[in-house]
Amino acid sequence: MKAVFITGHGGNEVVRVGERPRPLRGRGEVLVRMVAATLNRVDLYMRDSGAGITHGLPHIMGLDGAGIVEETDPDETLLEPGQRVVLHPGIGCARCEFCQRGEGVLCTSIKYLGEHRDGTLAEYVCLPARNVFPMPASLDFAQAAALGVNHLTAWRMLFTKAQIKPWETVLIFGIGGGVSLAALQLARLAGNRVIVTSRDAAKLERALAMGATYAINGTKQDIAKQVMALTGGRGVDVVIENVGQAVWSSALKSLVRGGRIVTCGATSGDQPAADLRRIFIRQLQIFGSTLGDLDEFQNLLAFTERTGLRPVISSSYPMDEVHAALNELEAARQFGKIAITIGEP
């Protein structure tokens, strides 16, 4: 089968498009013929080094994806060949204490597509049936694929960790990136006021057009001071961020007393000043979050059907042009997701 895979670590010179063995389906698994996937920052990390993530070489890239069921067990009752499906990329053991209590995302031996095992940038993917979900009928394959990482991550951050209420104000850093844009969409559909930040004026304008209440340009304005001005000196209830060190101080200073900050990344560094005095005096709450559980994904898919949510696709490339797609992601030029088309619907 045709696939995008890395043969080592470095730059795009280690990313190849070529033939890899088609996966063999085991008992309890589903073979999916892939139609579309989207890129995530971890694809760059796996290309560059993959340090700390156990994987072999060559290794097929890609975390999320959507496609069509090719094969299932004869006694499978929820999925059938020809069905349009979207994938949850985190494969837990189903046996550890965390899986047993329904928190598979905390599984002690979780394996992610595109990281620990071959990923979605391939004509076929094989994974447990519990990780395969019917695709929302309102979405195309690229939009559905986008739900599997960014929107699921934002869903857990907003609704499971922060437990946002409709009357609250949310501050989202780095609008234009996948998780941040997903958080904007979800928060607005939930009825929240949303303040967004970016260093790109064009991205801020697009965010305002999508329903952001206010936009702050981080290169021209002091974010925390502007937040306080916009909220009458109160601060926001919730901060959603995946930038890390470069914005951490502004994030903490932007929170109301008792406010919550949820972080899922550290692209600018992971060792910010903790500012412990502010945290305990103002009784701030800090949550770490990654991806989301299978039941959260099911809830997200139902929410998508109910509200008409449509993930934003910034651009689309065929598999043969994956180098150009990775370059766009690395340069952070996108507004939304970068899709890779794999096969025909």
Side-chain angles (χ1 to χ4, degrees), residues 76-295:
E76 168 62 43
T77 59
L78 300 178
L79 301 167
E80 60 184 10
Q83 189 172 3
R84 297 183 172 203
V85 292
V86 60
L87 310 183
H88 183 295
I91 299 168
C93 69
R95 301 182 66 182
C96 71
E97 64 170 295
F98 304 103
C99 287
Q100 289 292 309
R101 70 189 192 202
E103 295 185 282
V105 75
L106 298 178
C107 176
T108 56
S109 57
I110 193 167
K111 292 179 172 57
Y112 290 108
L113 298 175
E115 295 186 37
H116 309 93
R117 54 188 285 167
D118 281 337
T120 57
L121 294 182
E123 290 181 319
Y124 293 93
V125 172
C126 199
L127 71 171
R130 64 179 179 272
N131 287 80
V132 182
F133 293 79
M135 189 178 116
S138 57
L139 303 183
D140 63 31
F141 284 94
Q143 291 169 334
L147 295 173
V149 173
N150 286 165
H151 282 74
L152 179 55
T153 299
W155 179 275
R156 183 174 178 86
M157 294 174 79
L158 287 165
F159 301 116
T160 303
K161 295 293 186 174
Q163 297 185 22
I164 60 168
K165 310 299 188 297
W167 56 84
E168 293 184 317
T169 301
V170 180
L171 171 64
I172 301 173
F173 281 87
I175 201 66
V179 172
S180 298
L181 196 54
L184 168 61
Q185 290 185 293
L186 292 172
R188 288 297 299 129
L189 286 169
N192 297 99
R193 289 201 318 162
V194 180
I195 303 172
V196 299
T197 81
S198 176
R199 295 177 295 177
D200 186 319
K203 290 181 179 180
L204 293 174
E205 287 296 325
R206 293 188 66 178
L208 288 169
M210 289 179 59
T213 313
Y214 302 108
I216 300 173
N217 191 320
T219 61
K220 299 178 180 180
Q221 298 168 294
D222 182 297
I223 293 174
K225 289 182 179 178
Q226 190 64 18
V227 166
M228 289 300 167
L230 293 171
T231 59
R234 178 182 181 274
V236 299
D237 301 280
V238 173
V239 169
I240 299 296
E241 81 88 24
N242 56 19
V243 180
Q245 191 165 321
V247 305
W248 190 252
S249 177
S250 295
L252 293 180
K253 291 177 182 178
S254 296
L255 282 169
V256 69
R257 291 174 180 268
R260 296 96 76 198
I261 179 170
V262 191
T263 179
C264 71
T267 55
S268 67
D270 61 359
Q271 298 295 319
D275 201 358
L276 292 177
R277 187 176 291 109
R278 177 180 296 273
I279 292 171
F280 65 72
I281 289 176
R282 292 176 173 264
Q283 299 194 39
L284 306 180
Q285 301 176 71
I286 300 173
F287 298 94
S289 190
T290 56
L291 201 62
D293 286 321
L294 297 175
D295 65 328

Side-chain angles (χ1 to χ4, degrees), residues 37-41 43 64 121 322 325-326 329 337-340:
T38 72
L39 295 184
N40 296 277
R41 296 297 301 184
D43 293 311
D64 57 35
L121 294 182
V322 67
L326 290 168
L329 178 64
K337 296 293 290 181
I338 300 171
I340 304 293

